[in-house]
Amino acid sequence: MRWLKWPFAALLTLVVIYQAYLFMSVAWLATNNPATTAFITAEKDRLTQQKSAKSIRQTWVPYASISANLKRAVLAAEDSGFAEHDGVEWEAIEKAALENLQKGKIKRGGSTITMQLAKNLFLSPDRSLLRKGQELVITLMLEAVLEKRRILELYLNVAEWGEGVFGIEAAARHYYGVSARQLTVEQSAWLASILPAPKRFDKNRGSAFIRGKAEVIQARMPQVALP
């Protein structure tokens, strides 16, 4: 049975090397902006395959150049406890796991902003337990190495906001013709409301559902603590 140990040892070595590579990549982000992400690459490939005339739009802006309205709106919509937790809200993960188990497939992920950033930067949109496990590992790496402000800055600059639209500067220009710094309370709440399905609501901007969701987000914004 000794021969069985070699493939296992080789696999374990590869796993360790890959995790070390990911950790170094995360550490690099402390002082550098990513040239691309896994999600941007996937979207670029999709647009190419569809022979679409659209291309990727993304303009990086520093944390200070993003409206506080937008920061509050996104946190109110996606992760109101962002400034306090360690990157993972374990109670939300437990609830999501129970729901997924009952339904027999992964429908909810209980994701925080940091978890979403981990996925956007390095992973595929596919839903699986293995990918979710890797997402958790990267999340803990991000929280261990980066400050909260940097995590939020990265997320707001790489999040998808429409077909080929990535980052809040491109989103502000695409939807309102203004810079990320100029976004109002109402505009910010609406942009935050479409994050779960930006492509769908880019095509249906007058959605009553999104208007109602934006109103709820706007009401929550004053209670959100910014990093």
Side-chain angles (χ1 to χ4, degrees), residues 76-91:
E78 300 285 289
D79 188 358
S80 60
F82 174 75
E84 287 79 37
H85 63 61
D86 62 357
V88 182
E89 290 195 316
W90 297 105
E91 185 176 342

Side-chain angles (χ1 to χ4, degrees), residues 70 90 106 109 123 165 169 175 209 212 224:
L70 188 280
W90 297 105
I106 296 180
L123 304 173
V165 180
E169 181 69 17
Y175 290 101
F209 168 76
V224 172

